[in-house]
Amino acid sequence: MKKIILDGSSFIDKEAAHVILQEKMELPDYYGKNLDALWDCLSSDFTKRMIIIQNPHRIKENLGRYGEALLRVFVDAKKANPAVTVAFAYNMRKKKS
């Protein structure tokens, strides 16, 4: 199983998010860099992979509703494609005071 780690802190805008997704997930050159294209790739490729999204809250903070929709695509793809596993990892370190 291929393991893919995505750091939500790097998703500073839509364009950066899709560049990162294409690179890290090795999406094809014709990847359309939008949510429909992401869904098509995630739901039609049955290569086993585990996608770990670190700091998913940063995606929501940086991209707003688009970030929420992007995360929803991963959750829905996990339900639709048994080859896809998705986990969210939150940094739980306490801040020093």
Side-chain angles (χ1 to χ4, degrees), residues 8-35:
S9 300
S10 301
F11 289 45
I12 57 173
D13 59 35
K14 290 181 192 178
E15 292 76 23
H18 286 288
V19 168
I20 292 166
L21 289 169
Q22 187 170 21
E23 179 185 317
K24 295 279 187 174
M25 297 178 59
E26 299 176 358
L27 300 177
D29 291 339
Y30 57 83
Y31 172 60
K33 296 184 174 73
N34 60 56
L35 297 180

Side-chain angles (χ1 to χ4, degrees), residues 68-90:
E68 291 175 14
L70 188 149
L71 293 171
R72 197 171 321 112
V73 168
F74 281 99
V75 171
D76 290 347
K78 176 182 173 184
K79 293 176 186 172
N81 184 345
V84 175
T85 301
V86 177
F88 297 114
Y90 293 87

Side-chain angles (χ1 to χ4, degrees), residues 31-47:
Y31 172 60
K33 296 184 174 73
N34 60 56
L35 297 180
D36 288 337
L38 179 61
W39 167 256
D40 288 345
C41 290
L42 287 172
S43 62
S44 63
D45 181 356
F46 293 95
T47 305

